[in-house]
Amino acid sequence: MSESTASTTGSPPSRRLRTARACTFVAFALNGFVMGMWIVHIPAIEHRVGITHAVLGWLLLFLGGGAFAGMQICGALADRFGSRAIVLAGGTLCSATVLLPGLAGSPWALAAALLALGFGNGSLDVSMNTQAVQVERGYGRPVMSAFHAVFSVGGVIAALIGARTISWDWQPSLTLAVVAVAGVLITLALVPGMLPPERPAPAPTGPDTTRSGAPEAPAPAAKRRTPSQVWALGVLAFMLMLCEGVANDWSVLHLKDVLDAPAATAALAYGGFSTAMTVGRFVTDRVVGRFGRVFVVRYGAGLAALGLALASLSPWVPLALLGWTLFGIGLSGCIPQFFTAAGNVDPASSGANVSRVAGMGYVGMLAGPAIIGPLTHLVPLNLAFFLPVAFCVAAVFSAGILRPAHKTAPAPEPEPAEA
């Protein structure tokens, strides 16, 4: 029995598995911290390069494009070489390249820096989620959502440390250089504790049953085809991560521009949403263990739809803040379930399948602000939010896609003993 499946029999998780879980927590926190340190220094870097907000918006597309490319390339590499090896490469690259935006002196240099940082971020993102799927499979119970909660904690730590170094008048290049060195060292330390590649499950032997689709295999193309369930999970991830992107970029503006709230009060909209997302993810694994993934997505998306509709229609700031908080609670547990479901459709192609879902979700997060903006030329901002409300409602009725496509056949009942 392999290390990664030892606990599925009901025995306590091995020390190796517990170590892998702790190291995966560190990888998620590191990813959130590194990207958070870039976000904290965006205003200073924008000023240093001498660009407008509009130009920065276009340059951020390089960050998104690099991340998408990193996810798609490294998802397949994780299946070939194991997610542990790709976490090493992705964590090192993501940490090292965070220094580059701090050194950029022109818009084109910043574009190249963001492309490299995005590729490193996407590589680490898909590989650490693939490792998390493997760890969760070993535990035999839900643990995925807690990993995503720790990612958010990493971002909070980055905001606190970044605020302190900025108050000390540290240049972005100095702060990001320290982050780069620390991130590389942490990556080198955590990777040995992660799980090695899973061995293929016992299967009928023969020249045409190789896992990798050797040249003599009769139908390698069929084995490489992405299952339709994965694409369906990707569509759901696109819709709900679009909703998350809307909250990130428009929640504060909603309270400020629609409800005329003071700037300090308006900031509480995003604060309530992000806090609810983090706390909800720490709780979600227990809920999944008791009620299942379909339950979490169905009722979570329903609560998110209710919360955003409440925020959109409320004429009162406190009620709108409550709505944004409910929106965060509802969304908090949904996305991790899509990654787990995708990773378990076919364990031999876990990395590639997770990369499909993560990539489509990432596109959705980038698309959210871009879609809502033009809609505000047709309808008021609060009414434009009913597009993500509709996406949440669609997820309510589509949550059944998380059920495994292939159910394990029940064991045959023992035949009565012959007299």
Side-chain angles (χ1 to χ4, degrees), residues 120-143:
N121 177 45
S123 304
L124 178 56
D125 189 293
V126 72
S127 57
M128 70 186 186
N129 272 290
T130 304
Q131 175 74 195
V133 170
Q134 188 177 347
V135 170
E136 185 176 59
R137 199 152 48 225
Y139 266 79
R141 60 181 174 84
V143 296

Side-chain angles (χ1 to χ4, degrees), residues 31 35-36 38-39 42 59-72 94 114-126 128-129 148 151 233-246 248-249 335 338-339 354-371:
N31 191 201
M35 297 309 295
W38 143 248
I39 291 171
I42 286 178
L59 292 180
L60 289 176
L61 294 178
F62 286 89
L63 181 71
F68 184 82
M71 289 175 184
Q72 303 315 305
C94 184
L114 293 179
L115 185 66
L117 176 60
F119 189 91
N121 177 45
S123 304
L124 178 56
D125 189 293
V126 72
M128 70 186 186
N129 272 290
H148 286 254
F151 175 89
L233 291 168
V235 171
L236 284 178
F238 173 89
M239 292 193 298
L240 293 190
M241 289 186 74
L242 181 147
C243 296
E244 186 176 340
V246 167
N248 292 341
D249 291 271
I335 300 301
F338 300 147
F339 290 162
V354 169
S355 73
R356 302 291 186 271
V357 174
M360 293 178 70
Y362 199 83
V363 170
M365 183 170 287
L366 294 175
I371 290 175

Side-chain angles (χ1 to χ4, degrees), residues 24-36 39 121 124-125 128-129 145-158 244 278 281-282 362 365:
T24 307
F25 272 128
V26 175
F28 273 80
L30 176 64
N31 191 201
F33 176 74
V34 169
M35 297 309 295
I39 291 171
N121 177 45
L124 178 56
D125 189 293
M128 70 186 186
N129 272 290
S145 295
F147 291 129
H148 286 254
V150 170
F151 175 89
S152 301
V153 172
V156 173
I157 295 173
E244 186 176 340
T278 303
R281 283 175 171 170
F282 276 120
Y362 199 83
M365 183 170 287

